[in-house]
Amino acid sequence: GRLRSGAVAKLKRWRKGHSSDCNPETRQHRLAARSRFCSRPAEKSNLTVDAVKLHNELQSGSLRLERPNDSAQLRMEEDSAGEAATERSSGTFLSGLSDCTNVTFSKVQRFWESNSAAHKEICAVLAAVTEVIRSRGGKESETEYFAALMTTLEAVESPESLAAVAYLLNLVLKRVPSPVLIKKFSDASKAFMGIVSSQACSSSTSALRWVLSCLATLLRKQDLAAWSYPVTLQVYHGLLSFCVHTKPKVRKAAQYGVCSVLRGSEFMFGDAAPEHHPAAPSTAKFCVQEIEKAGGTKEATTTLHILALLRDLLPCFPAAVVKTCCETLLRVMTLSHVLVTACAMQAFHSLFSAQASVACLPAELNAQIITALYDYVPSTSDLQPLLTWLSTMERAHINLGRLQKDLCWAHLPRLFSAAVNCFLSPHSQVVAAAAQTLETLLSECVASHMDDLGTVSASAPAPAAYLCKMFRSVEEGLTYRFHAAWDEVLRVLEVFFETCGKQCHPIMRKCLRSLCDLRLSPHFPYTTEVDQAVGAAVSAMGPEVLLEAVPLEIDGKEETLDFPRSWLLPVLRDYVQGARLSFFTSYFLPLAAALKSRALEFTQAGKSVEAKIYDTLQWQVWTLLPGFCTHPTDLLGAFKGLARTLGMAISERPDLRPTVCQALRTLIHKGCETDAERAEVGRFAKNFLPILFNVYSQPEEDGGSSAQRRSVLDTVRAYLTITDPQMVCGFLQKASEKLTSPESSEFARLSILDLVVAMAPYADEQSLGSLYHTIQPSLQSKECSMQKKAYRVLEEVCAAPHAPCQAFVRSHLQDLQAALLDSLKSAASPAKRPRLKCLCHIVKQLSAEHEPFITALVPEVILCTKEVSVGARKNAFVLLVEMGHAFIRFGPTPQEAMQRFLLLVYAGLTGSVTMISCTVLALTRLFFEFKDHLELSVVEQLLQNICLLLASRTRDVVKAALGFLKVTLLLVDTKVLAKHIQAMLEAVGNLSDDMRRHFRMKLRNLFTKFIRKFGFELVKGLLPAEYHKVLVNIRKAEARSRKQRALRQAAADTDEEAPPAQPRGDSMEEILADSEDEEEEEEERQRSKEWRKQARQKGQAWLKEGEEDEPLNFLDPNVSQRVLATEPGPKRSRGVSHDFQVSEDGRLIIHEEEEEVDNDEAKGADEEMADVLQDVGLRSKKSQKRRFREEPDDEEREAGTYPQYRAGGSGIHRQLDKEPAFGAEYRSKKGKGDVKKKGQLDPYAYIPLNRARLNRRKRAKMQGQFKGLMKGAQRGAKAGRRNRQKAQRP
């Protein structure tokens, strides 16, 4: 890693020429190497031709993994034990491993090339055992391996072999059938226990830990009856005794085994499974005895080990034993040992988190533990213990609520009080954790039972009384002593309002008033949190309850214009839902009318400011209406009383029109949930729709802005969804009459056509027929707008999913085809988009006999791929693809159909230049979409034709052809492309100089793709010399990009946090980790020393003295809170932290900002696909335009104010918005010098920091400037003094 800042200066450095002064005198390794390589061996060399041949075979891998059929030839010959292995057999001594057929040993087989000695020993043992089983005609089953390994276990003597056999037994025991292990339990356990007793004091732990694992697996496979025998319990207790072993790996193996036996024994998952394991009581007794024996001595190491075991085992014990263990834990916590207390808390946490059954943890015992834990509340300044205590109590109450709700609610008030006291902690983590605990308890323990309660009052009996106490505790957090944690208190109140506000609003009104008063206090920093809390109250209780508790205090008769509660209006607007619509009618409508009349009075009196204020207030009142229309509770009875007012507001109040229209849309989409509600609102369609039609048909001066007209049209569309179809037909007929009326203006006809577009999908077939005859002449109208809207009507009819519309399209298919073909020549450019969309819907319904219609459309569709309108281009490509699908539908085969369709498209290549470029674009899209349906010969022919078009002198044609080549490189297989790469690159290489300059970026992109696909040398050889410089540059850029990506990846890998420790398993990594036993034991001893040192540091505790002179009372029941895990007292500040480095002489080192360099990263598949879609017209270039328009400053400009030109240079091109000179704001306009300005700094010579002033050569010049500055100031002061003296003389 890198050295710390400043460490370089402290390192010792060699003087020049003295770097080898301290070379060692002993050179035994050098001499040995020299004697080996520079002298001839004394004895006969083993380096023969056969040995070299064998070495080469081993290096090439031919003898590495043998096939099963060759294993007979390559097996190791069983000669005498003392005979050395020959060269040939040395490479094949693991043949029994390499072709082992049992999947149990796949882990070993997968890693058998390791250089670890322990690993090689495991592989050798497995190979030997496999050979023995095969020599006796075995099938290599798990049972055979078990028997052979058990025999081997009794025969081996060395610790390495013993560890290898134990590891293999550990693997195979898990797959041996249970009846075998039950029958052989006595012999196997005796053998295992013998090894355990012999290895218990050994320095090597590998064999011991694997044998313990074997014991655990053996015990886990026994049936319930076996646990009634004393020998089984004796073996289990032998395993259990190693849970406090001094060696960590042995201890962990034993603890893991005990947990697997108690929690994972096979009979625990059967139908007749007992409630707990038979060995659970004795295990608990052992744990309690070990804790009592160890106590707090020896730094409580044994106690910590047992507590770690209990953390996993407590949920497995029966209730009586759990009670004893918990009492022991509580007694141990009185020792005030920080680590012991933390581990005990973790054990309680795991007990509650496990959600054990009543047989393990009854509700009464859970409640008793909760009560007992209050004696161990840490101090509010003790960070980690308090976080642990809060988390444990949270899980305890959640588990108690699961077992017995009433008992949980009885204990919640005390915890709420304790958690609120945690808000006084100086640690922000404790405050946040306390708030999170309260929120979790409300959502987990309280929310699910609130529906069972009625309205809660202050005098309500239990369990409602508990809820009152809880709320009072949280409400107390609004007092001033908790002001540092008010933001968290407000968030808890917000959750309380959401959870219980509907039933508990009587007891919450005082709190609501306090919140509103608190918000009005000067400089209150948490206004947003108050708004959110009050908003939650509005959502849960409703606006009526809120306004009863906190009146709005606005009635239109105010003498002053303060309006202290006006902030409630935006809160109500954002949070009202599910309220009574009649409340808006009875309370807010009269208020809005009074405010509006008051505004009119002020307007008539000429008081424009007051009039504006009241007008804004009445508008804010109206903005509440959409919230009241969201899921109203009394829609059926209240809407009829409000409908007339809404209609009048739409027609007579343009300022309220958007709000009322939004309210109607909200009511239709979110308020009409039943058929009766939809019918009730739809009943007024005959009143609302004519009003909306009239408003929309008015010119913009009367009908409002274009945004208001869009809002009205959206409301019409929404209302039509719940309107009776017969009424829609009536409106449609009247609209058709107005369309043909000569009295209608052009604006009125266009507006009526917009309304017809909205109504057409909901009309019946007869009305659609008459409408079609009405708009048919408009399809060939010379007025572009009329023509476009007529096509929009047809588009809506063809796209509508309703049955009448689909029936109309089917019955008028021939007429529609004829009309669309007749209007082909007269179709205006703005009408292309809806026309193509309409054609797309019609083509979907065509059959084989309509193929001539599609044939006639092909030229128009191809030309539309270059329309000005983005929507028209997009629809043209969609229609082109739809026509391809239609041809495939016509048959006979997809390949023949596509060939027939492409012949129609090919005709465009013989047309004008524009037609040719459009045809190439169309072919590109068709090739992209239907590549799987095109034969190879068709693709090759297409590629040849495109290469010919690259010789064109027209830029549009060449651009389209290059786009096709890009798509080809992405889609076509490399083997197919290899045949044509020469023709493609020759065609690209023969481009004229003008084309090459114009398309230099496209060509560079294309060459990059060629190089990635075929390599640099091939592409360079096929292109002319003038391209070679570009190709070399591309290669350098690609190499640089790859290097930068590798560096970023490496940096990302090093920055990642180390992965969490995995649970103990049987992977090969563990075998490798156990390879060097002696070195490992030494390292383990070092680690244990370090761990004990850290534990001593962690285990240190501090005793907090009494306040002022008060002595510490050790008989106080709360004295445990005086034992701190965090050192008390003020922490020393680490100095001011800034982001600047400091040099040796104390100067700040300020690096200038460097612009980030955009790396030319290799585009991934997604980016290439995006390029392709852009070339075939499916991706707009708005993002590019937006990138050119972006301003360098951070302030967002309003829409339409982006400058297209930036000033620069001189003359009329000079930059007008120059920055003012330094200090110009202080310059006097009347005379020389500076003047003081009110509210600004005094005009002293504030010298800006400049890096150039650190330059030694310029230092003297700078000092001279400062001296002159001081002399000038002194001269000015003298002159001022003389002038004052003259003025004071008589």
Side-chain angles (χ1 to χ4, degrees):
R2 296 177 58 189
L3 292 172
R4 287 182 301 141
S5 175
V8 179
K10 300 176 184 178
L11 295 177
K12 293 182 179 180
R13 295 189 177 276
W14 298 109
R15 292 190 350 236
K16 189 172 182 180
H18 294 267
S19 59
S20 60
D21 284 355
C22 68
N23 280 349
E25 295 297 329
T26 56
R27 297 183 294 168
Q28 55 178 349
H29 299 293
R30 297 185 186 186
L31 293 174
R34 182 180 299 174
S35 66
R36 179 173 301 172
F37 291 109
C38 301
S39 62
R40 302 182 63 84
E43 66 274 3
K44 184 178 179 181
S45 173
N46 292 327
L47 185 63
T48 61
V49 175
D50 293 336
V52 172
K53 185 178 179 182
L54 174 62
H55 174 76
N56 292 336
E57 289 176 348
L58 287 171
Q59 292 297 318
S60 63
S62 58
L63 293 182
R64 190 164 292 174
L65 289 173
E66 298 81 73
R67 295 184 299 275
N69 54 1
D70 296 337
S71 60
Q73 303 173 8
L74 299 177
R75 279 181 193 158
M76 182 172 59
E77 298 179 2
E78 296 182 5
D79 295 335
S80 61
E83 185 177 351
T86 63
E87 284 91 346
R88 176 65 59 181
S89 64
S90 66
T92 62
F93 78 101
L94 293 179
S95 58
L97 166 67
S98 61
D99 56 357
C100 176
T101 59
N102 197 306
V103 296
T104 304
F105 306 105
S106 59
K107 295 179 182 178
V108 180
Q109 193 173 5
R110 194 163 57 241
F111 296 100
W112 74 281
E113 292 179 0
S114 168
N115 293 324
S116 165
H119 200 170
K120 286 181 178 178
E121 185 69 24
I122 292 172
C123 295
V125 170
L126 178 60
V129 170
T130 303
E131 291 298 320
V132 170
I133 292 174
R134 286 176 182 167
S135 64
R136 299 184 180 178
K139 299 179 181 179
E140 298 186 43
S141 66
E142 286 85 359
T143 306
E144 292 171 336
Y145 274 105
F146 169 61
L149 287 170
M150 287 301 297
T151 305
T152 309
L153 189 68
E154 298 173 356
V156 295
E157 295 179 358
S158 66
E160 295 79 10
S161 301
L162 191 64
V165 176
Y167 174 76
L168 294 172
L169 266 173
N170 170 58
L171 289 181
V172 80
L173 272 174
K174 298 170 184 176
R175 301 176 67 94
V176 175
S178 300
V180 176
L181 293 182
I182 292 173
K183 187 173 183 180
K184 294 294 181 180
F185 173 73
S186 178
D187 299 334
S189 61
K190 185 177 180 182
F192 288 149
M193 291 302 291
I195 295 173
V196 165
S197 60
S198 64
Q199 295 289 322
C201 299
S202 173
S203 59
S204 174
T205 61
S206 297
L208 183 57
R209 57 185 288 218
W210 295 125
V211 171
L212 290 175
S213 182
C214 293
L215 264 179
T217 308
L218 185 66
L219 289 167
R220 193 155 41 90
K221 295 276 187 174
Q222 302 305 307
D223 56 7
L224 185 59
W227 286 92
S228 60
Y229 306 136
V231 63
T232 310
L233 288 174
Q234 184 179 358
V235 172
Y236 173 75
H237 286 151
L239 173 65
L240 187 61
S241 63
F242 282 89
C243 288
V244 290
H245 198 272
T246 55
K247 298 290 181 66
K249 292 190 176 181
V250 175
R251 182 173 65 251
K252 289 179 181 177
Q255 291 183 355
Y256 182 84
V258 169
C259 292
S260 66
V261 170
L262 292 189
R263 302 174 68 171
S265 293
E266 291 185 351
F267 62 83
M268 295 294 290
F269 302 100
D271 296 333
E275 291 181 350
H276 56 83
H277 197 279
S282 59
T283 306
K285 185 178 180 182
F286 168 80
C287 294
V288 172
Q289 288 176 349
E290 287 294 328
I291 290 176
E292 290 178 348
K293 188 193 308 180
T297 59
K298 298 180 183 178
E299 298 192 4
T301 307
T302 305
T303 304
L304 292 174
H305 298 333
I306 295 297
L307 290 177
L309 180 63
L310 282 176
R311 185 179 57 204
D312 297 325
L313 294 184
L314 268 180
C316 309
F317 291 164
V321 174
V322 168
K323 185 175 182 180
T324 305
C325 291
C326 290
E327 290 172 352
T328 305
L329 290 179
L330 292 171
R331 280 201 304 274
V332 165
M333 288 170 67
T334 58
L335 298 174
S336 296
H337 190 287
V338 175
L339 287 177
V340 171
T341 304
C343 289
M345 277 293 181
Q346 290 176 2
F348 281 123
H349 188 276
S350 66
L351 172 64
F352 298 129
S353 300
Q355 295 188 350
S357 63
V358 181
C360 171
L361 183 64
E364 293 77 12
L365 180 58
N366 193 331
Q368 290 171 3
I369 296 173
I370 288 174
T371 305
L373 286 177
Y374 281 108
D375 295 334
Y376 303 93
V377 182
S379 170
T380 53
S381 58
D382 221 356
L383 175 61
Q384 201 56 47
L386 193 52
L387 293 177
T388 307
W389 186 86
L390 283 171
S391 177
T392 304
M393 295 297 278
E394 174 189 318
R395 301 312 309 174
H397 284 78
I398 291 174
N399 191 60
L400 183 57
R402 181 182 62 88
L403 298 174
Q404 191 173 336
K405 185 260 293 186
D406 295 336
L407 196 56
C408 172
W409 278 39
H411 282 76
L412 279 175
R414 187 175 181 185
L415 180 59
F416 267 66
S417 177
V420 169
N421 284 333
C422 292
F423 288 150
L424 297 172
S425 172
H427 301 289
S428 59
Q429 300 98 313
V430 172
V431 176
Q436 185 61 45
T437 296
L438 294 178
E439 293 171 17
T440 305
L441 290 172
L442 285 171
S443 56
E444 296 282 341
C445 302
V446 177
S448 56
H449 304 291
M450 286 307 298
D451 293 336
D452 303 335
L453 294 177
T455 303
V456 178
S457 62
S459 58
Y466 302 136
L467 208 56
C468 297
K469 293 180 181 177
M470 292 153 56
F471 185 75
R472 288 196 193 98
S473 297
V474 179
E475 190 179 8
E476 187 186 354
L478 293 178
T479 55
Y480 186 74
R481 69 191 187 109
F482 294 97
H483 71 279
W486 270 348
D487 53 339
E488 298 292 348
V489 174
L490 290 170
R491 289 194 187 97
V492 176
L493 280 173
E494 179 184 349
V495 177
F496 224 128
F497 290 146
E498 287 176 359
T499 307
C500 315
K502 189 175 181 181
Q503 292 84 6
C504 300
H505 59 82
I507 65 171
M508 296 179 173
R509 298 190 180 196
K510 179 185 173 186
C511 180
L512 286 173
R513 286 192 289 271
S514 301
L515 284 179
C516 295
D517 294 340
L518 202 58
R519 194 187 189 280
L520 295 177
S521 57
H523 309 297
F524 183 67
Y526 305 117
T527 54
T528 304
E529 286 80 1
V530 171
D531 290 350
Q532 291 173 352
V534 175
V538 171
S539 299
M541 307 174 191
E544 300 175 62
V545 176
L546 176 71
L547 293 176
E548 286 178 13
V550 189
L552 201 56
E553 296 181 357
I554 299 175
D555 56 2
K557 302 174 183 178
E558 293 82 9
E559 297 179 0
T560 61
L561 300 178
D562 290 341
F563 306 113
R565 300 274 173 83
S566 60
W567 61 271
L568 283 172
L569 290 174
V571 173
L572 287 167
R573 178 198 63 207
D574 294 338
Y575 290 95
V576 166
Q577 60 176 353
R580 288 193 310 117
L581 200 57
S582 57
F583 180 66
F584 182 85
T585 308
S586 61
Y587 183 86
F588 286 107
L589 274 185
L591 177 60
L595 294 173
K596 183 63 177 177
S597 63
R598 188 74 184 273
L600 291 175
E601 291 176 8
F602 280 120
T603 303
Q604 294 169 0
K607 298 180 179 180
S608 58
V609 176
E610 291 85 348
K612 184 65 177 175
I613 291 173
Y614 275 98
D615 204 30
T616 304
L617 281 175
Q618 67 91 25
W619 175 79
Q620 283 186 317
V621 170
W622 272 102
T623 57
L624 305 181
L625 181 58
F628 278 91
C629 291
T630 305
H631 309 297
T633 56
D634 59 345
L635 176 60
L636 293 176
F639 185 67
K640 58 187 177 185
L642 184 63
R644 179 179 176 83
T645 307
L646 297 184
M648 292 175 62
I650 292 174
S651 59
E652 299 175 4
R653 297 284 303 277
D655 58 326
L656 300 179
R657 196 173 293 153
T659 302
V660 177
C661 288
Q662 180 192 354
L664 283 176
R665 293 195 300 272
T666 305
L667 189 67
I668 293 167
H669 295 313
K670 297 182 179 179
C672 300
E673 298 175 351
T674 63
D675 293 336
E677 291 174 340
R678 280 189 288 272
E680 173 66 19
V681 179
R683 188 163 63 89
F684 293 90
K686 64 180 183 294
N687 306 106
F688 279 107
L689 286 177
I691 295 173
L692 293 169
F693 291 163
N694 292 335
V695 169
Y696 189 76
S697 303
Q698 293 171 1
E700 226 169 85
E701 292 79 14
D702 303 325
S705 64
S706 58
Q708 285 195 5
R709 297 185 76 243
R710 281 197 301 271
S711 176
V712 171
L713 189 59
D714 290 341
T715 310
V716 169
R717 289 197 184 100
Y719 225 118
L720 286 170
T721 59
I722 58 171
T723 305
D724 182 36
Q726 294 300 321
M727 191 180 298
V728 176
C729 294
F731 287 135
L732 202 56
Q733 184 178 357
K734 292 179 182 178
S736 302
E737 293 172 0
K738 286 192 176 184
L739 274 177
T740 55
S741 172
E743 299 176 358
S744 301
S745 64
E746 182 184 357
F747 179 83
R749 284 201 297 272
L750 291 176
S751 301
I752 290 169
L753 274 175
D754 284 335
L755 298 172
V756 168
V757 169
M759 288 188 285
Y762 303 99
D764 58 17
E765 190 174 355
Q766 182 180 357
S767 300
L768 289 174
S770 61
L771 175 63
Y772 174 65
H773 291 300
T774 303
I775 66 166
Q776 191 171 4
S778 300
L779 296 176
Q780 301 184 13
S781 172
K782 293 182 180 180
E783 297 178 8
C784 298
S785 300
M786 291 291 293
Q787 190 184 112
K788 178 181 178 181
K789 292 188 185 299
Y791 277 114
R792 282 282 295 120
V793 174
L794 278 185
E795 178 191 346
E796 288 294 327
V797 172
C798 294
H802 303 102
C805 294
Q806 294 179 350
F808 168 78
V809 174
R810 285 193 298 269
S811 61
H812 291 73
L813 200 56
Q814 297 293 341
D815 297 340
L816 287 171
Q817 291 180 42
L820 290 171
L821 286 178
D822 292 342
S823 60
L824 172 60
K825 295 180 181 179
S826 61
S829 181
K832 291 287 187 183
R833 190 191 66 78
R835 172 183 168 82
L836 292 169
K837 196 71 174 176
C838 184
L839 286 170
C840 186
H841 290 298
I842 290 176
V843 167
K844 288 180 181 178
Q845 304 193 18
L846 296 181
S847 53
E849 64 268 14
H850 299 111
E851 189 171 325
F853 174 68
I854 298 181
T855 305
L857 293 177
V858 170
E860 179 194 7
V861 179
I862 291 177
L863 280 173
C864 285
T865 57
K866 284 205 136 183
E867 271 290 332
V868 178
S869 167
V870 177
R873 294 200 300 269
K874 183 177 178 181
N875 287 348
F877 283 115
V878 172
L879 178 56
L880 199 64
V881 172
E882 198 55 53
M883 291 161 72
H885 286 301
F887 268 86
I888 291 175
R889 206 164 56 238
F890 299 162
T893 63
Q895 287 75 18
E896 293 180 14
M898 284 309 303
Q899 195 164 359
R900 204 164 66 250
F901 183 44
L902 286 179
L903 286 175
L904 299 175
V905 181
Y906 285 155
L909 296 175
T910 61
S912 63
V913 171
T914 305
M915 189 67 180
I916 293 173
S917 63
C918 291
T919 305
V920 175
L921 280 178
L923 288 171
T924 305
R925 180 61 202 272
L926 290 173
F927 178 49
F928 178 79
E929 197 73 33
F930 298 104
K931 58 184 180 296
D932 297 332
H933 300 309
L934 296 178
E935 296 178 351
L936 186 59
S937 59
V938 176
V939 176
E940 293 178 346
Q941 180 187 3
L942 194 55
L943 198 53
Q944 292 170 2
N945 292 332
I946 297 298
C947 289
L948 292 176
L949 289 174
L950 283 172
S952 173
R953 296 181 180 180
T954 310
R955 289 177 176 178
D956 283 349
V957 176
V958 175
K959 180 181 178 182
L962 290 175
F964 185 89
L965 289 184
K966 188 192 292 185
V967 175
T968 306
L969 280 173
L970 181 64
L971 300 180
V972 179
D973 186 51
T974 309
K975 295 179 181 177
V976 179
L977 276 179
K979 303 176 186 177
H980 304 278
I981 184 174
Q982 185 172 359
M984 293 164 68
L985 289 177
E986 284 180 359
V988 174
N990 292 331
L991 288 175
S992 65
D993 292 343
D994 176 64
M995 293 292 180
R996 195 166 70 243
R997 279 193 303 270
H998 186 74
F999 295 115
R1000 57 188 180 277
M1001 293 309 297
K1002 282 187 174 295
L1003 287 174
R1004 182 186 177 89
N1005 193 4
L1006 195 64
F1007 291 153
T1008 304
K1009 290 175 172 34
F1010 270 114
I1011 289 173
R1012 289 176 189 165
K1013 204 133 190 166
F1014 297 103
F1016 174 79
E1017 296 298 334
L1018 177 62
V1019 177
K1020 182 180 178 182
L1022 293 175
L1023 281 173
E1026 53 263 27
Y1027 287 100
H1028 290 178
K1029 190 174 181 180
V1030 178
L1031 296 178
V1032 171
N1033 186 267
I1034 290 173
R1035 182 172 63 174
K1036 289 181 179 178
E1038 289 285 294
R1040 186 166 58 248
S1041 176
R1042 283 195 298 270
K1043 183 178 178 180
Q1044 289 172 349
R1045 279 202 308 276
L1047 289 174
R1048 281 196 301 272
Q1049 184 64 37
D1053 292 342
T1054 55
D1055 289 343
E1056 288 178 0
E1057 294 181 359
Q1062 297 294 327
R1064 179 182 173 278
D1066 301 316
S1067 64
M1068 203 60 233
E1069 284 82 355
E1070 291 186 351
I1071 303 175
L1072 299 178
D1074 294 334
S1075 57
E1076 303 294 338
D1077 289 331
E1078 298 301 326
E1079 295 178 9
E1080 181 190 61
E1081 294 301 322
E1082 183 63 29
E1083 292 175 3
E1084 190 173 297
R1085 278 192 289 272
Q1086 294 294 332
R1087 281 198 302 270
S1088 63
K1089 288 180 181 178
E1090 293 176 5
W1091 182 85
R1092 281 196 297 271
K1093 184 178 179 181
Q1094 293 175 1
R1096 276 197 299 271
Q1097 293 173 353
K1098 287 182 180 178
Q1100 287 179 353
W1102 286 266
L1103 199 61
K1104 186 177 180 181
E1105 294 291 344
E1107 300 295 334
E1108 297 178 356
D1109 296 332
E1110 180 186 350
L1112 184 60
N1113 182 10
F1114 285 97
L1115 298 179
D1116 187 359
N1118 294 326
V1119 72
S1120 61
Q1121 296 185 13
R1122 298 284 184 177
V1123 181
L1124 305 180
T1126 310
E1127 185 175 1
K1131 294 186 178 180
R1132 291 181 299 173
S1133 63
R1134 299 183 180 180
V1136 180
S1137 174
H1138 51 72
D1139 296 331
F1140 299 125
Q1141 298 176 355
V1142 183
S1143 64
E1144 294 180 0
D1145 55 355
R1147 292 181 295 173
L1148 292 178
I1149 301 174
I1150 303 174
H1151 299 281
E1152 292 186 345
E1153 296 181 0
E1154 298 179 358
E1155 294 183 359
E1156 295 183 2
V1157 181
D1158 293 335
N1159 300 320
D1160 292 334
E1161 296 187 13
K1163 291 186 179 180
D1166 294 340
E1167 293 181 357
E1168 290 190 352
M1169 187 66 71
D1171 289 343
V1172 171
L1173 294 179
Q1174 179 178 328
D1175 285 337
V1176 296
L1178 283 184
R1179 185 180 175 207
S1180 68
K1181 298 186 180 179
K1182 288 183 180 178
S1183 58
Q1184 295 179 2
K1185 294 179 183 177
R1186 193 179 303 118
R1187 189 165 61 247
F1188 287 125
R1189 286 201 311 241
E1190 283 179 356
E1191 291 291 324
D1193 55 1
D1194 295 329
E1195 297 177 1
E1196 289 188 15
R1197 293 177 176 265
E1198 295 179 1
T1201 63
Y1202 291 96
Q1204 301 298 320
Y1205 167 75
R1206 291 190 183 181
S1210 60
I1212 63 171
H1213 301 286
R1214 69 189 183 280
Q1215 190 173 355
L1216 297 176
D1217 51 346
K1218 288 185 178 179
E1219 293 184 1
F1222 187 74
E1225 60 269 25
Y1226 293 105
R1227 194 162 295 155
S1228 175
K1229 296 179 182 178
K1230 297 179 181 179
K1232 293 182 178 181
D1234 296 335
V1235 293
K1236 290 189 176 185
K1237 295 288 184 74
K1238 186 176 181 181
Q1240 294 188 15
L1241 299 172
D1242 287 346
Y1244 298 129
Y1246 297 102
I1247 303 170
L1249 293 177
N1250 186 359
R1251 248 183 110 178
R1253 299 182 190 277
L1254 301 175
N1255 193 323
R1256 293 178 184 173
R1257 290 179 284 112
K1258 299 179 181 180
R1259 190 174 294 172
K1261 178 183 176 183
M1262 300 300 174
Q1263 289 175 351
Q1265 286 181 355
F1266 296 151
K1267 289 178 181 176
L1269 192 69
M1270 293 300 297
K1271 289 179 181 178
Q1274 289 168 357
R1275 280 198 301 269
K1278 284 181 181 179
R1281 225 175 7 251
R1282 282 197 299 267
N1283 292 336
R1284 280 198 304 274
Q1285 289 173 358
K1286 287 180 181 178
Q1288 291 173 0
R1289 288 173 186 171

